[in-house]
Amino acid sequence: VRRTDECLVTGGGVRLAPPLGQGDRARAASPARAPISAVRLASHDFKQPLAILRGYADMLTNNEVPADQMPLVARRLAMQSETLMRVADQVLLMSRLPLELAFTVRVSLVDVAQSSVQRIRARMAAAGMQLRVQFDAHGEVWGDVALLEAALDEMLHNVFKHARTATVVQLRLRESTRDRVQLIVKDDGPGISADRLAELFGPLPSEDEQPARGQGLGVYLLRRVAAAHGGRAWANSLEGKGTTFYLELPTASPDGDSVRASVGSQASA
């Protein structure tokens, strides 16, 4: 997500943004960088789409693409370009962490979910997937809207990575306990092996550590965002039965003080 004076630019398009407040200006003026571990993960995530783009560029240069295949090639080029934009946006978002208490606001998770659904529904429909949405709670949390949207976007985009044959994807918001809520993304795809889940959700590296083999930037961002908001993220899967991703967060108390303080202490830990 990149902010200009008038809008937010994301991999999914352009959205009008509210004017920068004093807190935003202070954040923009202060030095920020993505953790080294995130940059290392991004370098791996860049390699495959760049290789595909280079391959198609060579084929086009040498007139090796038949005319009837040009629309297919154009779609594949657009898809790989979108992947690169997402990775770049994720690296930029990592510079917003650790979450600073002064920049948190009360966030409606219903609004976060609706925004993510609007961005992903057309792509899922084109892939033959039905997206079902269910709100069993009106969860509000203290946090960063852009980071929370990016975390849910990653949960939904994971369907294209791990469940391309899925036909139904369910997005649900529910209360897990009296003071915690969950965003859940469930698919009916082929599932993820236990070994692959262990790779994706292995111990998080520190900011300057080398990431473990198999960890991707998207899940890394999801888990970092969850931790920064005093929550957690995980997944369950049965091979042949589908996969379920969870993002659990503490709700904003009526006065906000207790949970906001918890988020602040979690972020500074």
Side-chain angles (χ1 to χ4, degrees):
V1 175
R2 299 181 293 279
R3 182 187 284 272
T4 69
D5 289 339
E6 301 293 341
C7 63
L8 289 172
V9 182
T10 72
V14 179
R15 293 183 285 128
L16 293 180
L20 287 173
Q22 290 183 349
D24 292 310
R25 292 191 180 94
R27 191 207 300 268
S30 63
R33 66 178 181 87
I36 293 174
S37 52
V39 174
R40 287 171 174 164
L41 286 170
S43 68
H44 291 290
D45 286 2
F46 273 128
K47 287 181 180 179
Q48 182 176 2
L50 282 174
I52 294 173
L53 289 173
R54 176 59 187 270
Y56 278 123
D58 290 343
M59 293 174 65
L60 290 168
T61 300
N62 297 324
N63 294 318
E64 296 174 351
V65 180
D68 63 339
Q69 294 295 309
M70 291 297 287
L72 174 61
V73 170
R75 289 194 297 272
R76 289 179 176 173
L77 290 173
M79 183 178 300
Q80 298 306 319
S81 298
E82 180 183 338
T83 298
L84 290 174
M85 291 173 65
R86 280 182 51 77
V87 174
D89 284 345
Q90 287 170 343
V91 173
L92 290 174
L93 281 165
M94 290 302 301
S95 68
R96 301 171 75 98
L97 296 173
L99 191 61
E100 297 182 45
L101 184 61
F103 301 129
T104 59
V105 296
R106 189 181 287 267
V107 179
S108 165
L109 292 183
V110 171
D111 290 345
V112 168
Q114 289 175 335
S115 181
S116 291
V117 166
Q118 185 177 11
R119 286 190 294 274
I120 199 72
R121 191 183 289 278
R123 182 177 176 186
M124 284 194 170
M129 301 176 186
Q130 180 185 2
L131 178 58
R132 299 175 181 174
V133 181
Q134 181 177 340
F135 297 140
D136 297 326
H138 299 282
E140 289 189 338
V141 300
W142 283 106
D144 182 303
V145 177
L147 288 173
L148 290 168
E149 288 187 357
L152 182 54
D153 284 350
E154 176 58 28
M155 293 168 70
L156 291 166
H157 275 274
N158 261 304
V159 176
F160 298 111
K161 298 178 186 177
H162 305 298
R164 293 182 179 275
T165 60
T167 57
V168 177
V169 179
Q170 301 177 51
L171 169 58
R172 184 182 180 190
L173 173 62
R174 72 176 185 185
E175 288 186 355
S176 54
T177 64
R178 183 179 60 83
D179 58 355
R180 298 181 78 84
V181 290
Q182 292 178 345
L183 283 165
I184 303 170
V185 174
K186 180 179 181 180
D187 66 65
D188 62 351
I192 302 174
S193 69
D195 289 343
R196 181 57 181 146
L197 275 182
E199 289 179 347
L200 288 172
F201 289 91
L204 275 173
S206 68
E207 292 189 357
D208 296 327
E209 283 182 338
Q210 176 69 36
R213 176 184 174 274
Q215 289 186 344
L217 180 62
V219 172
Y220 176 91
L221 173 65
L222 168 63
R223 297 174 69 194
R224 287 291 189 195
V225 170
H229 287 79
R232 64 190 184 112
W234 73 97
N236 295 326
S237 188
L238 288 174
E239 292 190 68
K241 299 292 185 180
T243 303
T244 306
F245 279 82
Y246 299 84
L247 172 59
E248 184 175 83
L249 302 168
T251 56
S253 55
D255 61 5
D257 291 342
S258 60
V259 173
R260 198 175 194 193
S262 173
V263 171
S265 62
Q266 179 82 17
S268 61

